[in-house]
C-alpha cells in the first residue's frame, strides 16, 4: 500500500467518436479552457493531462484524443491500452454520428475490459435549433449500453468539466474498491510519450493483450 502522502493516481481516459463531433475541443475546453472555431481534424494521437482532487487525493487524468477519420488514426490497440475510462462522443446535430456510436462501442469492447468506465456524450448542445438527436434517444442508448450519459457544449462550456469529473470519480471509486487497477500503466505513462511498442507490459485489468 502506498503511504497516504505519496499516494497518487493516474487515469488514462480515451475520447472516441466520428470526425468533427468536437472531441479535440472538449479536451481543450477541459484542460485549458480553450475553444477553437476552426480546429483542424486531428492526425494521429494527442494527449493532455489535467490534475484534479478527489476525496482529498491528487488524481491525474491523462486524456487521449485521436482522429475520428480512419485514415488519420494511429495504432488502435496502443491507443486503448491501459485505458480506464472512455468518452464516446456524437454531435446532436448530426444523426449519422449518433448511429456510429455502436461501432465505436464495438471497437472499445474489442480492446477494453467491461470494467472500463464509459460515458456517452452528446456534444454541441448549444445548437439546439438544428438538433437531430433528442436527449431521450441519448438517454435510452446509454441505458441500453450501461453507460453514463451527458449533453455538453465545448463552445459555451456546458457540462464539459462535469462529464470528465463523473468519469474520473467513477474510476476512482472502482480503483478504491479494487475493481480496476491503474498501477500497471504508470511506468509507461511517466515517460510522458506515446509508446507504440506493443510487446511491453500487459495490464492486468484491461486492455489489449496484443
Ligand atoms: P476529428 O479530430 O476529425 O476526429 O474531429 P473532432 O471530433 O476532434 O472535432 P473538433 O473538436 O475538431 O471540432 C470540429 C468542429 O466542431 C470545429 O469547427 C469546432 O469548432 C466545432 N465544435 C466543437 N465542439 C462544438 C460545440 O460544442 N458547439 C459548436 N457549435 N461547435 C463545436
Ligand atoms: Mg480532433
Amino acid at each position: 500500500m502506498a503511504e497516504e502522502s505519496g499516494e497518487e493516481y493516474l487515469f488514462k481516459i480515451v475520447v472516441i467518436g466520428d470526425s468533427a463531433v468536437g472531441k479535440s475541443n472538449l479536451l481543450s475546453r477541459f484542460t485549458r479552457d480553450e475553444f477553437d472555431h476552426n480546429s483542424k481534424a486531428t492526425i494521429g494521437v494527442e494527449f493532455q493531462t489535467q490534475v484534479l482532487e478527489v476525496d482529498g487525493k491528487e488524481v491525474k487524468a491523462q486524456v487521449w484524443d485521436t482522429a475520428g477519420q480512419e485514415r488519420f488514426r494511429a495504432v488502435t490497440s496502443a491507443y486503448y491500452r491501459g485505458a480506464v475510462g472512455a468518452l464516446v462522443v456524437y454531435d446532436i446535430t448530426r444523426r449519422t454520428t449518433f448511429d456510429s456510436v455502436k461501432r465505436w462501442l464495438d471497437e472499445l469492447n474489442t480492446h477494453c475490459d467491461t470494467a472500463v468506465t464509459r460515458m456517452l456524450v452528446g456534444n454541441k448542445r448549444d445548437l439546439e435549433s438544428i438538433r437531430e438527436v433528442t436527449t431521450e434517444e441519448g438517454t435510452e442508448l446509454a441505458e441500453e449500453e450501461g453507460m453514463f450519459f451527458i449533453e455538453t457544449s465545448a463552445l459555451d462550456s456546458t457540462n464539459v468539466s462535469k462529464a470528465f469529473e463523473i468519469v474520473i470519480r467513477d474510476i476512482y471509486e472502482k480503483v478504491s474498491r479494487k475493481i480496476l487497477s491503474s498501477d500497471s500503466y504508470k511506468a509507461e505513462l511517466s515517460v510522458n510519450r506515446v509508446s507504440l511498442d506493443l510487446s511491453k507490459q500487459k495490464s492486468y485489468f484491461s486492455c489489449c493483450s496484443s
Side-chain angles (χ1 to χ4, degrees):
M1 272 282 281
E3 280 184 36
E4 190 71 10
S5 59
E7 205 160 13
E8 62 166 49
Y9 296 88
L10 182 55
F11 299 157
K12 175 178 173 179
I13 296 169
V14 292
V15 184
I16 53 177
D18 280 1
S19 184
V21 296
K23 298 181 297 297
S24 298
N25 276 282
L26 285 167
L27 181 55
S28 63
R29 178 61 81 193
F30 176 57
T31 58
R32 301 190 303 268
D33 200 16
E34 285 174 14
F35 181 84
D36 183 355
H37 285 273
N38 304 307
S39 61
K40 299 221 163 54
T42 304
I43 296 175
V45 178
E46 293 167 5
F47 64 76
Q48 298 279 337
T49 306
Q50 176 75 354
V51 182
L52 296 93
E53 203 179 290
V54 183
D55 287 352
K57 306 260 168 54
E58 189 178 282
V59 171
K60 287 196 180 85
Q62 188 170 59
V63 188
W64 290 48
D65 174 31
T66 189
Q69 291 180 61
E70 192 62 45
R71 65 197 165 114
F72 291 151
R73 300 189 74 198
V75 181
T76 309
S77 53
Y79 185 68
Y80 287 103
R81 187 175 352 95
V84 288
L87 270 66
V88 186
V89 186
Y90 66 92
D91 173 350
I92 66 151
T93 72
R94 280 188 299 143
R95 178 162 296 276
T96 54
T97 67
F98 183 68
D99 295 338
S100 296
V101 166
K102 293 248 187 212
R103 276 195 296 106
W104 288 106
L105 284 172
D106 283 346
E107 185 176 289
L108 181 66
N109 293 335
T110 304
H111 293 93
C112 290
D113 188 272
T114 49
V116 168
T117 298
R118 296 161 162 76
M119 176 171 274
L120 180 63
V121 179
N123 189 41
K124 308 199 187 179
R125 201 181 110 150
D126 55 286
L127 298 175
E128 192 57 50
S129 58
I130 52 166
R131 178 192 280 274
E132 286 185 359
V133 183
T134 66
T135 306
E136 290 67 35
E137 287 174 291
T139 310
E140 209 169 289
L141 178 58
E143 267 171 24
E144 267 171 38
E145 299 289 343
M147 309 167 75
F148 290 107
F149 174 64
I150 201 163
E151 285 187 349
T152 56
S153 168
L155 188 152
D156 70 16
S157 300
T158 307
N159 285 343
V160 177
S161 299
K162 194 172 168 192
F164 285 98
E165 281 162 16
I166 290 170
V167 169
I168 290 160
R169 174 160 284 278
D170 187 70
I171 297 167
Y172 178 83
E173 282 163 8
K174 284 177 182 166
V175 169
S176 335
R177 300 203 314 266
K178 310 234 182 309
I179 293 170
L180 272 179
S181 166
S182 65
D183 289 348
S184 57
Y185 207 62
K186 279 185 177 173
E188 186 186 14
L189 292 176
S190 65
V191 274
N192 204 24
R193 66 188 165 82
V194 182
S195 165
L196 294 180
D197 182 353
L198 300 177
S199 64
K200 277 199 223 137
Q201 79 296 109
K202 288 204 191 331
S203 104
Y204 45 85
F205 70 91
S206 68
C207 291
C208 315
S209 42
S210 67

